[in-house]
Structure formats: C-alpha cells, structure tokens
C-alpha cells in the first residue's frame, strides 16, 4: 500500500525509525505515534518507501 501524501510518507518514516529503535518513541507526535502503535514494520516500510515525487503535500 503506497502512501497517498508526502505527510503520510514522512509520518510512516518516523514511525518506522521508532519501531526499529533508531529514534526514541517519545519523539513521535500525531499520526506517526498512532502508526507506530497500530502498524507492523512491514506495513510502515511499504508506506515509507513510496516515491514522494508525484505525491500531494496532504491528502484532501
């Protein structure tokens, strides 16, 4: 499942970093905090690896 916006892709990247232990979970805010709790590492990888080139900043 690819990300639908740049904001979603960025939040998934932050959540993935926290899930892997590269970043403290306490630094997460908003959507990235929810994503880290509710999604698997594989799901976060799929969102985070989406090419940002043609994505809108935010989903309507």
């Amino acid at each position: 499942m690819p990300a639908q916006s740049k904001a979603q892709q960025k939040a998934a990247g932050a959540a993935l970093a926290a899930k892997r232990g590269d970043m403290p979970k306490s630094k997460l805010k908003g959507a990235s905090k929810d994503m880290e709790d509710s999604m698997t590492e594989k799901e976060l990888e799929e969102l985070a690896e989406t090419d940002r080139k043609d994505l809108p900043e935010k989903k309507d």
Side-chain angles (χ1 to χ4, degrees), residues 1-4 8 39 42-50:
M1 164 176 78
Q4 297 178 357
Q8 186 182 41
M39 298 178 79
K42 182 165 177 62
E43 290 172 322
L44 290 171
E45 283 177 0
E46 289 176 10
L47 285 175
E49 69 185 8
T50 303

Side-chain angles (χ1 to χ4, degrees), residues 2-57:
Q4 297 178 357
S5 68
K6 290 179 182 180
Q8 186 182 41
Q9 189 267 347
K10 185 177 178 182
L16 181 59
K19 191 168 279 281
R20 289 181 173 168
D22 297 335
M23 175 176 145
K25 291 181 182 182
S26 61
K27 296 251 183 191
L28 296 178
K29 298 183 211 172
S32 58
K33 190 173 193 176
D34 294 337
M35 288 174 152
E36 196 278 329
D37 290 335
S38 65
M39 298 178 79
T40 66
E41 189 171 332
K42 182 165 177 62
E43 290 172 322
L44 290 171
E45 283 177 0
E46 289 176 10
L47 285 175
E49 69 185 8
T50 303
D51 186 17
R52 298 179 74 187
K53 182 179 177 186
D54 295 322
L55 294 178
E57 285 297 321

